[in-house]
């Protein structure tokens, strides 16, 4: 429920504002309950903000009001078990009991089994282009309660207020704004038809022995044979039947085999390496991708810039460690080695540089202490 850090919607009310009021939470829940019971509930507008993406662009994020997020959470708790019973095993994103790590392991297993022909697919602005009418039709397959369907339709039709446009509100004819509690479930529900038809009797799983691994709107298709027919089928289904658009600038057909190409997925890179005593054995490595490594360096550099010289050193270290622990938790299943040792060296060099320039006077280590002991033992900087 505290998604977006409890940030406020168009009404300016945050979760902290509600908690500060005497009986604030209880009163808000009682008011929402009464509005739903008497069918007086109407969603408020969605506040659109922008967050930076790794490629330098920005992703629009829609923030509903606290009251709307509460109602969406309640609906998700009801609907999620219903649709979980239908979802295919190839889907891993935004699902209970499933994770990015499981998706990565599934891809590794398929490549090792000999499925080296890979379609690395990308959808253009998926969350913003889901057609409302077809999404509602997907909901009606399992949901007959008109009250629930009406609620979801109202959220899809809610006015979006973009502060960059002077706060002018507009209604969207397609899409489910990223940031809404219910948006991940709706996004998974619509792409469920890709999963289902892919594994159906007329899909590539049947006639091309293909496998698919999907994490939200990022997915790959792996096969042992030429993938041109599968690619044609994918374009037909997504663009002609589902009214989505494949990003042709980012969608690639690759051969991930020894001596061939690599595959990047969810920040990791799959690469066949040479090993063995005589270097005559190939093995599939899984490491942070080059883009991931560059983003790591950029973030560590930002956390140790001279503009933070005024902060107490423990605060700088706590902020750095928070990032390092999170990064290590996600990328910890990678094959370690040079990538991790170079990353640790980069963190060490940045911290030493930061300490030396915190004062106009040269920073001096306590007698008998090395920089290594200062950074890792005295200050407690985490190693990844």
């Amino acid at each position: 429920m505290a998604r977006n850090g409890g940030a406020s919607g168009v009404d300016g009310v945050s979760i902290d504002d509600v908690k500060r009021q005497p009986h604030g939470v209880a009163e808000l829940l009682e008011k929402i309950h009464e509005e739903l019971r008497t069918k007086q509930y109407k969603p408020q507008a969605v506040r659109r903000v922008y967050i930076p993406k790794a490629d330098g662009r920005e992703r629009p994020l829609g923030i509903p009001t606290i009251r709307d997020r509460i109602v969406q959470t309640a609906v998700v708790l009801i609907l999620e078990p219903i649709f979980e019973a239908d979802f295919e095993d190839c889907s891993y994103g935004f699902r209970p009991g499933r994770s990015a790590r499981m998706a990565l392991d599934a891809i590794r297993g398929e490549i090792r089994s000999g499925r080296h022909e890979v379609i690395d697919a990308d959808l253009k602005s998926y969350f913003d282009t889901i057609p409302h009418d077809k999404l509602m039709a997907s909901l009606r397959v399992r949901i007959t309660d008109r009250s629930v369907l009406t609620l979801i339709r109202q959220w899809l039709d809610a006015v979006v207020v973009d502060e960059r446009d002077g706060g002018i509100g507009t209604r969207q004819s397609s899409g489910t704004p990223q940031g809404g509690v219910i948006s991940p479930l709706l996004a998974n529900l619509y792409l469920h038809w890709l999963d289902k038809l892919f594994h159906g009797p007329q899909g590539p799983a049947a006639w091309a022995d293909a496998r698919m691994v999907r994490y939200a709107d990022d997915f790959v298709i792996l096969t042992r044979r030429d993938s041109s027919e599968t690619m044609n089928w994918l374009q037909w289904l997504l663009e002609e039947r589902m009214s989505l658009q494949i990003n042709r600038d980012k969608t690639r057909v690759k051969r991930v085999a020894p001596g061939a190409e690599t595959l990047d997925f969810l920040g990791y890179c799959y690469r066949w390496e040479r090993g063995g005593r005589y270097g005559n054995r190939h093995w599939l490595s899984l490491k942070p991708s080059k883009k991931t490594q560059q983003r790591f360096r950029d973030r560590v550099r930002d956390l140790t810039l001279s503009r933070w010289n005024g902060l107490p050193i423990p605060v700088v270290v706590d902020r750095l460690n928070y990032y390092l622990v999170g990064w290590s938790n996600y990328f910890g299943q990678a094959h370690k080695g040079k990538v991790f040792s170079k990353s640790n060296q980069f963190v060490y060099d940045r911290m030493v540089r930061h300490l030396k320039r915190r004062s106009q006077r040269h920073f001096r280590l306590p007698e008998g202490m090395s920089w290594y002991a200062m950074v890792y033992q005295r200050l407690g900087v985490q190693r990844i």
Side-chain angles (χ1 to χ4, degrees):
M1 177 55 235
R3 186 182 295 269
N4 305 318
S8 62
V10 294
D11 59 358
V13 178
S14 67
I15 289 181
D16 289 338
D17 294 332
V18 175
K19 291 180 178 178
R20 280 194 291 266
Q21 299 175 7
H23 312 294
V25 175
E27 289 179 1
L28 177 60
L29 293 177
E30 179 61 31
K31 182 179 179 181
I32 292 173
H33 176 265
E34 184 63 19
E35 288 180 354
L36 290 171
R37 187 185 67 81
T38 59
K39 300 187 184 301
Q40 299 298 309
Y41 169 82
K42 298 293 181 184
Q44 294 174 279
V46 174
R47 182 168 71 95
R48 173 173 287 172
V49 298
Y50 295 86
I51 57 175
K53 296 175 65 174
D55 58 7
R57 296 181 299 169
E58 293 181 311
R59 173 182 286 113
L61 190 70
I63 304 180
T65 60
I66 298 299
R67 64 189 286 277
D68 290 337
R69 300 215 296 269
I70 291 174
V71 182
Q72 288 187 19
T73 300
V75 172
V76 167
L77 291 174
I78 296 171
L79 297 188
E80 189 172 65
I82 297 174
F83 290 113
E84 272 294 316
D86 295 337
F87 287 166
E88 300 285 339
D89 288 340
C90 67
S91 168
Y92 294 90
F94 305 130
R95 294 184 60 188
R98 290 180 162 249
S99 66
R101 181 166 298 184
M102 296 170 67
L104 293 162
D105 286 341
I107 293 174
R108 180 161 48 185
E110 296 299 344
I111 295 176
R112 283 175 172 171
S113 73
R115 291 185 172 85
H116 295 161
E117 193 82 6
V118 179
I119 299 175
D120 182 10
D122 185 84
L123 296 177
K124 184 176 292 186
S125 302
Y126 170 63
F127 279 82
D128 296 329
T129 57
I130 302 174
H132 289 174
D133 55 343
K134 293 183 178 181
L135 176 58
M136 292 303 300
S138 301
L139 284 161
R140 285 193 290 269
V141 171
R142 292 299 303 269
I143 306 301
T144 58
D145 190 320
R146 291 186 178 181
S147 298
V148 174
L149 292 172
T150 298
L151 277 177
I152 296 174
R153 186 77 211 200
Q154 288 178 331
W155 289 325
L156 293 176
D157 292 340
V159 171
V160 176
V161 176
D162 192 328
E163 295 176 357
R164 291 184 176 180
D165 294 334
I168 299 175
T170 58
R171 294 188 184 276
Q172 309 297 308
S173 59
S174 63
T176 173
Q178 295 185 69
V181 179
I182 201 169
S183 294
L185 177 61
L186 297 180
N188 256 342
L189 171 61
Y190 194 58
L191 280 183
H192 165 65
W193 296 106
L194 165 64
D195 304 341
K196 189 174 182 64
L197 293 173
F198 180 92
H199 291 96
Q202 305 300 319
W207 47 259
D209 191 29
R211 299 290 184 270
M212 180 167 64
V213 177
R214 182 173 67 81
Y215 191 90
D217 57 331
D218 293 325
F219 63 96
V220 295
I221 296 173
L222 309 98
T223 181
R224 293 186 175 91
R225 52 189 281 184
D226 181 80
S227 60
S228 56
E229 290 184 50
T230 301
M231 188 66 191
N232 291 336
W233 178 90
L234 189 66
Q235 292 174 351
W236 164 78
L237 177 67
L238 291 174
E239 299 188 340
E240 295 187 26
R241 296 290 300 277
M242 299 182 68
S243 302
L244 301 174
Q245 188 174 357
I246 295 176
N247 189 334
R248 285 169 171 74
D249 293 333
K250 294 184 177 181
T251 299
R252 295 284 186 271
V253 176
K254 300 182 175 183
R255 180 163 178 79
V256 187
E261 298 175 274
T262 63
L263 172 67
D264 288 357
F265 190 74
L266 298 181
Y268 278 89
C269 176
Y270 296 88
R271 178 193 297 272
W272 285 97
E273 308 273 5
R274 280 186 176 275
R277 183 175 181 181
Y278 303 104
N280 58 355
R281 181 177 64 87
H282 286 93
W283 61 283
L284 184 63
S285 71
L286 183 62
K287 300 177 180 179
S289 67
K290 290 183 178 179
K291 289 183 178 180
T292 294
Q293 295 176 50
Q294 184 59 53
R295 288 197 292 269
F296 174 86
R297 292 189 292 269
D298 291 342
R299 183 57 178 154
V300 170
R301 186 179 293 109
D302 181 66
L303 289 169
T304 54
L305 288 173
S306 58
R307 63 180 174 179
W308 307 124
N309 286 354
L311 290 178
I313 293 178
V315 174
V316 174
V317 172
D318 285 347
R319 293 168 61 179
L320 179 62
N321 280 346
Y322 181 83
Y323 175 71
L324 294 176
V325 170
W327 194 92
S328 183
N329 286 342
Y330 181 75
F331 291 102
Q333 71 165 332
H335 293 107
K336 300 175 176 61
K338 291 184 178 180
V339 171
F340 281 68
S341 62
K342 288 182 178 179
S343 298
N344 281 320
Q345 184 64 47
F346 184 81
V347 173
Y348 172 79
D349 292 342
R350 289 297 305 180
M351 273 304 302
V352 171
R353 183 176 179 180
H354 177 78
L355 291 172
K356 286 183 175 180
R357 67 186 179 193
R358 283 183 63 89
S359 172
Q360 292 181 351
R361 299 179 62 185
H362 185 68
F363 183 91
R364 294 184 180 275
L365 289 171
E367 185 176 351
M369 178 174 286
S370 66
W371 281 111
Y372 183 92
M374 170 60 72
V375 170
Y376 292 114
Q377 296 175 14
R378 174 71 67 85
L379 299 180
V381 173
Q382 295 287 326
R383 292 179 62 87
I384 61 174

